[in-house]
Amino acid sequence: MAISSGLFLQTFISAFSTGLTIDLTSDTDLKAALFTNSLTPDFDTDIGYGIDPYDANEVSGAGYTAGGQVLTGTTLTGDSGVVTFDASDVTWANSTLTGVRGVLIYDDTQTNKNGIVLVNLGADYSTSNGSLVIQWSASGIATWDLVP
Amino acid sequence: MASAAERAAQLRAQADALEQLDALVNDLTAAKTAYRDNPSRENRQALRAAMDAVRTARAAARDNDLTVGGDAYVVTEEA
């Protein structure tokens, strides 16, 4: 069992078919939640936060509230056929956490709290009454190449 | 190894970049509010420009790969 990075297929299908409306530029709707490496995603079928497998293996500890924290400074930009989703870096200050391996970004305003992207941090990180700072890639959190 | 002067210059440049990024994010927040209140073509263009500016600044200020920092640490087990 291990976390990998990927986009949630069902969310994008719903957005283009059944009227699921997600604003990736919202500074209030989207949240980032932390999970351990015991999580095994299936990006073809996974739905969102609180629904299997995201109903278990969320990290817990001082300085962390279940469900994660709101993403701010979101941007959705496009250039040369590539759409880029990004946001301000996130920090869990004064936290004591163990085995943080993945970040789930999801829409907290949807009934199913639809997942958008899961990001593998590449290692199991811990803090001891300190700050966990996640700096997204210079290329953004996620990209969609519309003209591959 | 970088000299103290070189290291200080690097830190100043990093601080300047972060200040500039904060200002651009504030501009972005204002542009989002303006567009939400009045979704005109002009406000949409201003919002797009603000997003592009933030994206460009972040691309310059960040590392190529996602990084986890602050006080976070990785426990490694010796074989």
Side-chain angles (χ1 to χ4, degrees), chain A residues 25 27 73-74 76-77 86-89 119 125-126 130-133 135-138 140, chain B residues 28 32 48 51-52 54-55 58-59 62-74:
Chain A
T25 67
D27 286 338
T74 54
L76 193 65
T77 55
D86 201 4
S88 297
D89 299 333
V119 180
Y125 290 94
S126 300
S131 293
L132 176 73
V133 180
Q135 183 186 80
W136 306 114
S137 163
Chain B
L28 172 62
K32 285 180 179 179
R48 288 289 164 216
M51 285 191 183
D52 286 338
V54 169
R55 177 89 279 284
R58 283 178 177 152
R62 291 174 174 166
D63 296 327
N64 285 331
D65 294 320
L66 174 146
T67 57
V68 180
D71 304 309
Y73 59 91
V74 177

Side-chain angles (χ1 to χ4, degrees), chain A residues 28-98:
Chain A
T28 57
D29 295 356
L30 308 179
K31 277 189 159 185
L34 303 175
F35 286 84
T36 71
N37 204 29
S38 296
L39 176 76
T40 301
D42 183 336
F43 296 110
D44 286 345
T45 59
D46 288 350
I47 301 297
Y49 177 81
I51 300 174
D52 182 53
Y54 305 93
D55 57 350
N57 299 310
E58 184 174 8
V59 303
S60 62
Y64 183 83
T65 302
Q69 64 172 273
V70 175
L71 273 187
T72 60
T74 54
T75 60
L76 193 65
T77 55
D79 185 49
S80 301
V82 177
V83 177
T84 300
F85 168 60
D86 201 4
S88 297
D89 299 333
V90 287
T91 298
W92 280 268
N94 303 318
S95 61
T96 299
L97 305 170
T98 301

Side-chain angles (χ1 to χ4, degrees), chain B:
Chain B
M1 179 182 293
S3 68
E6 289 170 335
R7 182 65 182 141
Q10 289 173 353
L11 291 173
R12 275 194 294 272
Q14 189 177 33
D16 289 345
L18 290 174
E19 282 185 10
Q20 181 190 20
L21 184 54
D22 282 346
L24 290 172
V25 171
N26 288 337
D27 292 345
L28 172 62
T29 302
K32 285 180 179 179
T33 301
Y35 181 71
R36 186 178 63 239
D37 293 345
N38 177 18
S40 65
R41 175 188 289 265
E42 291 76 16
N43 283 345
R44 181 176 180 79
Q45 289 175 337
L47 176 57
R48 288 289 164 216
M51 285 191 183
D52 286 338
V54 169
R55 177 89 279 284
T56 300
R58 283 178 177 152
R62 291 174 174 166
D63 296 327
N64 285 331
D65 294 320
L66 174 146
T67 57
V68 180
D71 304 309
Y73 59 91
V74 177
V75 175
T76 55
E77 295 182 13
E78 295 185 13

